Amino acid sequence: MTARTMKKALRILLPGLFIFFQVYLVFIKDYQVLDYSRYINEFPQPLFGEDQQALKLGQTFRTSGPLARIDVMLGTYGGNPNGGSLQLGIYNDKQRLFLKNHPSEGVKDNQFHTFIIPSGKVPAGTYSLELKFFPGDKQDRLAVWTCQKDIYPYGDFYINGKKQPGDMTFRVYYRSTLWNAGNIWLEKIPSLWFSREWLIVGFVLVLLALNGMFYYCCKNAFGDQKPF
């Protein structure tokens, strides 16, 4: 293959790969998308009651796609749990979809603790999560941070199955492509007749401009050199 032929091949191959890479990132690759971003931490609700009896804290929630992870803000009262486990269960009405014990040593005081949900376990829908704490030492204590006002519009907070005012301080993530996630967020835009259509047109124009610039750069870099 001559140098001239190689340059022509690269001039076609590189823009093609660039376009394929964009298609992969937008339409194929899965991402963890934050479903609801608003949260307030006002009051630490203990995961134990009188005589250190375990309490079951629950929160109903919704996810716009297959559930990827749940973050819950926890408190350790300034200490570090010495062993023990934190159990997360996810239920659809009375059916259990997911249950796992997580070591509590990794819990950080007044920070979000992440619970990863295996792919395919929990599809899009409305569910309830339940947290239980099994201490490894009698001195270990954990709490879930809560908001004392009902700020989460898609669910409620429960203690031992009884509805409480307010909500857990938590975040829900679901798996989605950028295109599908973008469509979900576009649906939340006020219903002006042109909003969705013009945003999509603008997105396509930006992509065309980027691809045009990339092709122009490739053409200049690998274009045939003309003699003087």
Side-chain angles (χ1 to χ4, degrees):
M1 181 182 291
T2 64
R4 183 175 180 180
T5 303
M6 183 176 293
K7 288 180 180 180
K8 287 183 177 180
L10 288 173
R11 197 165 60 189
I12 297 173
L13 179 62
L14 289 179
L17 289 174
F18 187 62
I19 293 172
F20 174 77
F21 185 62
Q22 293 171 71
V23 170
Y24 171 75
L25 290 179
V26 175
F27 297 100
I28 301 175
K29 180 175 173 57
D30 281 341
Y31 297 90
Q32 290 187 4
V33 182
L34 181 59
D35 199 358
Y36 191 76
S37 59
R38 185 184 178 192
Y39 56 86
I40 298 174
N41 53 310
E42 293 179 326
F43 176 75
Q45 172 59 53
L47 276 158
F48 54 88
E50 295 180 0
D51 300 324
Q52 296 295 311
Q53 292 182 351
L55 294 180
K56 180 175 64 178
L57 304 188
Q59 172 77 44
T60 51
F61 68 96
R62 70 124 199 228
T63 173
S64 302
L67 188 61
R69 86 186 215 209
I70 296 176
D71 294 349
V72 181
M73 184 173 286
L74 302 174
T76 66
Y77 297 93
N80 294 310
N82 183 22
S85 61
L86 190 61
Q87 184 184 84
L88 172 70
I90 299 175
Y91 299 84
N92 180 3
D93 294 329
K94 299 297 183 180
Q95 180 184 4
R96 188 178 72 197
L97 301 181
F98 177 75
L99 183 70
K100 185 176 180 180
N101 290 336
H102 299 76
S104 57
E105 292 96 326
V107 175
K108 303 297 183 184
D109 195 21
N110 305 330
Q111 294 184 27
F112 279 108
H113 189 74
T114 296
F115 300 91
I116 301 297
I117 311 301
S119 179
K121 288 287 186 179
V122 184
T126 301
Y127 304 97
S128 62
L129 68 87
E130 292 183 355
L131 278 178
K132 295 180 182 178
F133 176 50
F134 304 100
D137 190 287
K138 291 183 178 180
Q139 303 301 319
D140 290 343
R141 297 191 299 167
L142 281 183
V144 172
W145 278 97
T146 66
C147 175
Q148 296 185 295
K149 295 180 181 179
D150 189 7
I151 65 168
Y152 182 66
Y154 312 113
D156 299 296
F157 177 52
Y158 293 84
I159 299 178
N160 287 344
K162 296 182 180 180
K163 183 179 175 181
Q164 308 291 322
D167 291 294
M168 274 189 188
T169 302
F170 75 112
R171 302 183 298 206
V172 176
Y173 294 78
Y174 64 92
R175 293 181 178 85
S176 181
T177 63
L178 287 180
W179 179 257
N180 289 335
N183 283 333
I184 291 173
W185 285 104
L186 282 174
E187 291 174 357
K188 300 178 181 180
I189 294 176
S191 56
L192 298 174
W193 67 271
F194 59 85
S195 296
R196 180 183 175 87
E197 290 75 10
W198 280 107
L199 283 172
I200 293 175
V201 168
F203 175 73
V204 172
L205 289 176
V206 170
L207 288 181
L208 289 175
L210 287 174
N211 284 281
M213 292 174 60
F214 186 81
Y215 179 77
Y216 177 78
C217 293
C218 288
K219 185 176 181 181
N220 287 342
F222 301 106
D224 296 327
Q225 299 294 324
K226 296 181 179 180
F228 291 98

